[in-house]
Amino acid sequence: MDNRTNLAVQNDHAPAYFSVWDMHAYYGESYIVQGISFNIHEGEILALLGRNGAGKTSTLRAIARLDDPQVNHGEIWLDHQRLHEMKSHEAAIAGIGLVPEDRRIIPGLTVEENLKLAQIVEPVGWSLDRLYDLFPRLGERRKQEGVTLSGGEQQMLAIARALARDIKVLLLDEPYEGLAPVIVDEIEKTLAVVKAQGMTTIIVEQNAIRALELADRAVILDTGTVVFDGSAKEVLENDALRAEYLAI
C-alpha cells in the first residue's frame, strides 16, 4: 500500500474510505485551497463549512477533477483509487457524483430523459423505479421538462441524476440555496434515506446549522485551510467556534 494511504486514517486508526491529503488548488493566480487534508468513512455525511471564499466549492470541484480549480499538489483517494491522477470523466466513472449549485438541468429534456441520459455512463446506478420511490414528485412529473420544475424539484432531479450513476461519493454544493424550509425538510429526509443505504456524502451549505444537524462530522475551512475537523455535534455545541468561523 502507498505510504500516503497509510496516512489517510481517522483518529481511531481505521482506514479512511475517502481521503484528501495536502491538496493545493488555484483559480488562475489566486491560491484558493492551501494544503487541506481530511478523511471520511464509508457511509458518513461530512459538512464542509466556512465563510464565503473559504475554498469550499473549490474543494468540491477539485475532488470532481474539474479543470478549475487547477490542482498542482496533493492526493485524493477513493477506496484505494487515485482520483488525483484522473480526469473528470474518469473520476465520475470511479464513483464521484457532483451536484453543482446551479443544478445544470438540461433544457429540452423531460425529467425521465435527464435521468436516462445520466444512465448512459457505465456503470449504471439506481433504477428509475428506485429513484421515483425516493422522489415521488419526480415520478409524478416524469414527462415534464426538467427546467420547468420548481427550484426544490430541480434540486431533487439533480440529486436523482447523480444517483442514476453508480456513485460512491455524493458531492452537494449548496443544496438548500433558495429553497423553502418545508422543501429543505423533504430533501434532508431523502438524504437520510440515501445515507442509510451506505452513501458517503460531502455537503457544502451556507445554512450551516441545517447541514450540521444532518451530518456526522464537520470540516471548517478558513482562507483555504482546515481550522476544525471533528464531530458535527461538537460544532453545534460550540458557540465560540461557530461565531468565529461561521458567523452564526
Side-chain angles (χ1 to χ4, degrees), residues 14-75:
Y17 180 70
F18 177 85
S19 300
V20 172
W21 191 89
D22 194 28
M23 185 172 73
H24 300 250
Y26 292 78
Y27 268 104
E29 298 298 320
S30 299
Y31 185 20
I32 304 297
V33 180
Q34 303 181 19
I36 69 171
S37 301
F38 61 86
N39 305 303
I40 311 174
H41 283 310
E42 186 174 7
E44 283 187 327
I45 297 180
L46 176 78
L48 184 63
L49 306 174
R51 298 173 187 266
N52 289 336
K56 306 181 300 296
T57 293
S58 296
T59 297
L60 290 191
R61 293 181 66 83
I63 290 169
R65 310 306 299 139
L66 299 178
D67 290 336
D68 58 325
Q70 295 289 337
V71 178
N72 73 339
H73 183 75
E75 299 183 3

Side-chain angles (χ1 to χ4, degrees), residues 18 38 40 46 48 60 63 170-172 200-204:
F18 177 85
F38 61 86
I40 311 174
L46 176 78
L48 184 63
L60 290 191
I63 290 169
L170 177 64
L171 308 178
L172 300 172
T200 305
T201 302
I202 303 177
I203 179 170
V204 165

